[in-house]
Amino acid sequence: AFDAVVVVGGLHHLHPSLYQAMDEIYRILKPGGYLCFVEAHAESLANFFRAHWYNSDSMFEANEEAIQVQKLLVDYRTKFKTLRLRYGGNIGYLVVLNSLILRIPLPLKKFLAPVFLRIESLLKPLSAIRQLSCFAAVQLQKCVIP
């Protein structure tokens, strides 16, 4: 059994077996253990474009799909207590973090990154709005069953 499981950008690769993976994570966690994940979420405006891009780019597998975070939290409310849910990320997240996927040449990235990260910091208040953010950061705690 584990005290914590941390997943950064991995759950969206598990469709259609996401719920099987969640059940397995639940199984291996100690009572009171933590599941923390950061994932692209399905309720964002960026996901509309991401879904079309995933379908047209051969780099992506057919099963890659942003996480429906709100639905997942409701479906697992008897197994996990939601401790934290934070939305974030905008243009800097999209360009800098996804520069490999966007195929931005490394020499160009060192010039683009400071510009887009500055824009990200200016737009940060907007990224707290679920529909305008790119990712959800979630901390769950396995419910202790008496």
Side-chain angles (χ1 to χ4, degrees), residues 78-95:
T78 61
K79 293 184 175 186
F80 290 102
K81 176 182 177 184
T82 303
L83 300 178
R84 289 189 183 92
L85 169 59
R86 181 173 109 25
Y87 293 95
N90 56 59
I91 191 71
Y93 168 85
L94 289 173
V95 174

Side-chain angles (χ1 to χ4, degrees), residues 3-11 25 29 34-39 138:
D3 293 319
V5 172
V6 178
V7 183
V8 179
L11 294 177
I25 291 169
L29 275 175
Y34 299 97
L35 166 59
C36 303
F37 66 86
V38 178
E39 286 291 336
V138 182

Side-chain angles (χ1 to χ4, degrees), residues 13-87:
H13 294 283
L14 301 176
H15 290 287
S17 303
L18 174 62
Y19 281 73
Q20 291 169 295
M22 288 293 294
D23 291 340
E24 184 63 12
I25 291 169
Y26 178 82
R27 186 188 71 78
I28 67 170
L29 275 175
K30 292 179 182 176
Y34 299 97
L35 166 59
C36 303
F37 66 86
V38 178
E39 286 291 336
H41 71 95
E43 298 158 322
S44 72
L45 179 61
N47 189 54
F48 171 79
F49 299 105
R50 184 185 304 112
H52 291 292
W53 178 24
Y54 279 14
N55 289 332
S56 64
D57 192 326
S58 63
M59 179 184 284
F60 302 103
E61 295 295 324
N63 67 326
E64 292 187 48
E65 183 179 315
I67 302 297
Q68 294 181 8
V69 174
Q70 296 295 323
K71 181 179 182 335
L72 188 71
L73 297 179
V74 168
D75 291 347
Y76 278 87
R77 69 186 175 278
T78 61
K79 293 184 175 186
F80 290 102
K81 176 182 177 184
T82 303
L83 300 178
R84 289 189 183 92
L85 169 59
R86 181 173 109 25
Y87 293 95

